[in-house]
Amino acid sequence: MEDVISLSIGEPDFVTPWHIRQAGIQSLEDGKTWYSPNRGFIELREEICRWFAHHYRLEYEPKTECLVTVGGSEAIDGCMRCLIQPGDEVLIPQPSFVCYQPLTEMAGGVPVIIETKAKNSFRLTPEELKAAITPKTKLLVLPYPNNPTGAVMRREHLNAIADVLRSTDIMVLSDEIYSELTYGDTRHVSFAAIPDMKERTIVINGFSKAFAMTGWRLGYALGPAPIIKQMTKLHQYAIMSAPTMSQLAAVEAMKNGDNDSAYMREQYDMRRRLIVDGFNELGLTCFEPEGAFYIFPCIRSTGLTSDDFCEKLIQEEHVAVVPGSAFGDCGEGFVRVSYSYSIKHITEALSRIGHFVQNHHADTL
């Protein structure tokens, strides 16, 4: 099919900044092609911890509380496999990234889905959390900023979640891969920065979104030393180490990449406002996302299911988006639309979607 416009993939349309690519190229020119230490190069771990201290006022020990992984997904998998015993329950707010539920099941855990709601801007509420906790609850996944909804948990929302957890032994996996893509005047707050939460939280982050380094496959985990030690064992036996070239490029990103992240965030913010206004004008209402690079419009007014909407849209107008139901049952009636594309790309897609909606609204009359 020709002339398809895709708003489906969650990948930056920016090329990795040149100075970061140059550091990777230089590592090859210098013949640095050997394995790294299992945990990752100490220089990179020091830079990650320095960066976290600067941005989020969180202090981690590079030697024992930081693990460099092959993407954030490996860190999520390793965290779950090290924490979950057969029969343990894992609380997973949805809609959310598709990997949490299958990885829980692969680790022998029992996924307990918490359906977040549009009226709450798809944030996890303390009431929803309390209702889901049982004596078997072992782990809470906090996927914010959120894929696919763009929802963000601000400090006051995180404090309310922490109030529920303080009387429990529940651990927290805080997936903060979109932390640097948080919009507005208030920066991202890490859950580990909430009082009393650091000792129970494993923070997952990486380089793919903030520095447009998806293909370099590099992430990291920060958390209590005993847990990072066990994750390192699993990483050592299953992976050995993250790619050397990627790690040396990431050192440069941590040292000198903040301006690049800020520029990309500004560009995404401009596209965010354009696409939210565009969908609302089409009658496909969506709340204003505060993070990541997705919107999650409601398509119920068309009378179509999420799957049907997406299939018909690509067949009739050659525009690709993702069914909301792919991110959990409560995503039915919504679609995920990525705005990590050019203004020209988005504007043309909005025009085609407008034509599609007009036709299908007419069909429902």
Side-chain angles (χ1 to χ4, degrees):
M1 186 181 290
E2 297 181 358
D3 79 333
V4 171
I5 295 178
S6 175
L7 301 180
S8 61
I9 305 209
E11 180 170 33
D13 67 329
F14 297 99
V15 175
T16 304
W18 167 244
H19 65 102
I20 299 174
R21 283 182 281 147
Q22 190 174 36
I25 293 166
Q26 191 62 50
S27 74
L28 296 178
E29 294 286 352
D30 292 343
K32 296 178 179 178
T33 56
W34 52 78
Y35 290 125
S36 81
N38 298 124
R39 290 179 182 265
F41 286 115
I42 186 61
E43 182 182 7
L44 176 55
R45 286 181 279 140
E46 288 173 345
E47 287 301 326
I48 290 169
C49 293
R50 179 199 61 79
W51 189 89
F52 242 75
H54 173 71
H55 283 264
Y56 305 129
R57 289 172 168 71
L58 275 167
E59 300 288 340
Y60 286 98
E61 168 51 54
K63 292 182 179 179
T64 60
E65 296 181 325
C66 180
L67 171 65
V68 179
T69 58
V70 181
S73 295
E74 189 219 332
I76 295 168
D77 180 37
C79 176
M80 287 186 165
R81 287 206 268 170
C82 288
L83 287 178
I84 299 169
Q85 297 296 315
D88 284 345
E89 293 180 351
V90 178
L91 307 183
I92 304 173
Q94 288 185 347
S96 60
F97 184 41
V98 298
C99 83
Y100 305 127
Q101 185 169 341
L103 289 180
T104 296
E105 293 168 346
M106 289 168 61
V110 178
V112 176
I113 305 305
I114 303 175
E115 295 189 349
T116 60
K117 299 174 180 61
K119 68 179 183 180
N120 298 322
S121 299
F122 292 105
R123 295 183 177 106
L124 175 65
T125 68
E127 293 78 16
E128 291 167 340
L129 176 58
K130 284 179 186 177
I133 292 173
T134 76
K136 294 183 178 180
T137 303
K138 180 65 170 289
L139 180 67
L140 166 66
V141 176
L142 269 184
Y144 295 96
N146 182 266
N147 169 16
T149 66
V152 166
M153 300 278 281
R154 300 295 185 179
R155 184 178 295 275
E156 62 269 24
H157 308 119
L158 297 175
N159 279 331
I161 297 301
D163 287 343
V164 175
L165 293 176
R166 283 192 180 92
S167 61
T168 76
D169 294 324
I170 297 170
M171 301 296 293
V172 177
L173 187 164
S174 188
D175 184 355
E176 302 179 16
I177 191 69
Y178 292 99
S179 62
E180 286 303 285
L181 300 181
T182 300
Y183 309 108
D185 296 331
T186 306
R187 288 186 58 86
H188 170 77
V189 176
S190 175
F191 189 68
I194 301 300
D196 307 321
M197 292 298 110
K198 184 182 175 187
E199 61 268 24
R200 72 169 75 221
T201 301
I202 298 86
V203 175
I204 309 296
N205 212 316
F207 298 85
S208 293
K209 315 302 181 183
F211 301 103
M213 294 178 68
T214 52
W216 299 76
R217 304 311 304 132
L218 205 67
Y220 55 88
L222 297 166
I227 296 171
I228 295 298
K229 181 178 180 180
Q230 299 308 313
M231 290 177 63
T232 302
K233 290 179 184 178
L234 181 60
H235 171 77
Q236 175 181 347
Y237 297 139
I239 303 296
M240 181 65 76
S241 59
T244 292
M245 177 183 67
S246 298
Q247 291 191 56
L248 296 175
V251 170
E252 172 64 20
M254 289 277 94
K255 286 182 175 179
N256 300 307
D258 281 353
N259 287 340
D260 303 300
S261 292
Y263 171 76
M264 288 186 273
R265 182 168 57 250
E266 289 172 3
Q267 295 301 306
Y268 290 135
D269 193 15
M270 178 172 59
R271 301 173 195 183
R272 176 180 70 104
R273 295 193 298 270
L274 170 67
I275 202 167
V276 168
D277 289 346
F279 268 82
N280 282 327
E281 287 172 7
L282 295 176
L284 302 180
T285 57
C286 60
F287 82 103
E288 183 172 336
E290 297 179 22
F293 39 51
Y294 311 103
I295 64 170
F296 205 59
C298 179
I299 51 87
R300 293 191 180 104
S301 61
T302 64
L304 299 171
T305 67
S306 295
D307 282 346
D308 286 344
F309 182 97
C310 294
E311 289 177 10
K312 290 180 182 293
L313 180 61
I314 195 168
Q315 290 168 359
E316 297 175 18
E317 300 292 340
H318 297 185
V319 176
V321 297
V322 182
S325 53
F327 304 95
D329 291 343
C330 58
E332 179 54 55
F334 298 84
V335 294
R336 188 191 79 171
V337 183
S338 172
Y339 51 89
S340 60
Y341 298 92
S342 69
I343 295 292
K344 179 180 178 181
H345 199 102
I346 292 169
T347 302
E348 174 61 23
L350 284 170
S351 176
R352 296 187 191 185
I353 294 169
H355 184 255
F356 176 83
V357 169
Q358 194 172 37
N359 288 343
H360 285 275
H361 273 160
D363 291 343
T364 61
L365 296 177

